[in-house]
């Protein structure tokens, strides 16, 4: 379901495995959120990373990533300099899905005991459009629902 909703995860190597890193370094990473949500997402990614950096102040990996992001993204550097700190446990998200459109969900973060890993749990209240979209997503999975010229039975 995660791959069906968010797309395939990148290969597990280097800082680009982290979505927050890709958010500020790869414009394509932002496509899963509506453009009007980008400023909010940028702020919460940076506030989360500020919390991680405070908790892991001697961690070279965190320091290296924040330094790299400051060099690569003026947006990140400006937000980092605000020193806003926040650890999100819940958030409301609007995910842009290629076949379903915008899916409105609640996102809950579950953290490992040491705080190094986070599991995102997406839910939608029963009876909402988001719940219906998640149910449909469970059926279509990662299938590409776009008709192509080579697909039998399609019209041009």
């Amino acid at each position: 379901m995660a791959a069906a909703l968010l797309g395939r995860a990148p290969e597990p190597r280097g800082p680009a495995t982290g979505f927050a890193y890709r958010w500020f370094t790869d414009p394509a990473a932002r496509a899963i959120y509506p453009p009007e949500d980008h400023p909010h997402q940028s702020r919460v990614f940076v506030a989360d990373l500020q919390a991680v950096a405070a908790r892991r102040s001697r961690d070279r990996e965190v320091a290296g990533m924040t330094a790299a992001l400051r060099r690569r993204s003026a947006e990140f550097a400006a937000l980092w300099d605000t020193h806003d700190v926040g650890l999100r446990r819940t958030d409301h998200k609007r995910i842009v899905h290629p076949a379903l459109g915008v899916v409105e969900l609640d996102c809950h973060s579950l953290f490992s005991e040491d705080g190094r890993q986070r599991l995102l749990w997406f839910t939608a209240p029963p009876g909402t459009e988001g719940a219906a979209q998640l149910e449909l997503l469970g059926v279509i999975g990662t299938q590409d629902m776009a008709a192509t010229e080579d697909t039998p039975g399609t019209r041009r």
Side-chain angles (χ1 to χ4, degrees):
M1 284 289 285
L5 179 64
L6 304 171
R8 297 269 178 222
E11 291 298 316
R13 283 184 235 114
T17 58
F19 188 73
Y21 185 87
R22 288 193 317 277
W23 179 263
F24 292 102
T25 61
D26 179 6
R30 295 180 178 222
I32 69 165
Y33 291 107
E36 60 271 19
D37 294 356
H38 291 183
H40 169 75
Q41 294 303 326
S42 294
R43 285 190 307 276
V44 295
F45 285 137
V46 172
D48 272 356
L49 191 52
Q50 285 276 8
V52 169
R55 188 174 57 250
R56 295 169 50 189
S57 61
R58 293 189 178 117
D59 189 320
R60 289 183 180 201
E61 183 180 0
V62 174
M65 185 172 81
T66 57
L69 283 170
R70 287 179 64 82
R71 285 191 305 273
R72 294 193 62 189
S73 170
E75 177 190 21
F76 177 86
L79 289 168
W80 187 259
D81 289 343
T82 67
H83 302 288
D84 288 341
V85 178
L87 187 60
R88 289 179 298 155
R89 299 221 182 259
T90 62
D91 200 2
H92 185 78
K93 295 189 177 284
R94 296 180 330 133
I95 306 293
V96 177
H97 188 273
L100 304 177
V102 176
V103 182
E104 292 202 32
L105 301 167
D106 294 320
C107 177
H108 307 274
S109 295
L110 306 173
F111 295 90
S112 62
E113 189 172 313
D114 65 3
R116 291 176 146 308
Q117 295 182 3
R118 173 188 310 213
L119 173 68
L120 300 180
W121 176 31
F122 293 97
T123 63
T128 64
E129 184 177 358
Q133 288 169 306
L134 282 182
E135 190 175 323
L136 180 56
L137 192 60
V139 174
I140 63 174
T142 58
Q143 296 178 63
D144 183 0
M145 302 307 288
T148 64
E149 291 180 21
D150 297 336
T151 305
T154 59
R155 297 181 200 176
R156 290 190 204 174

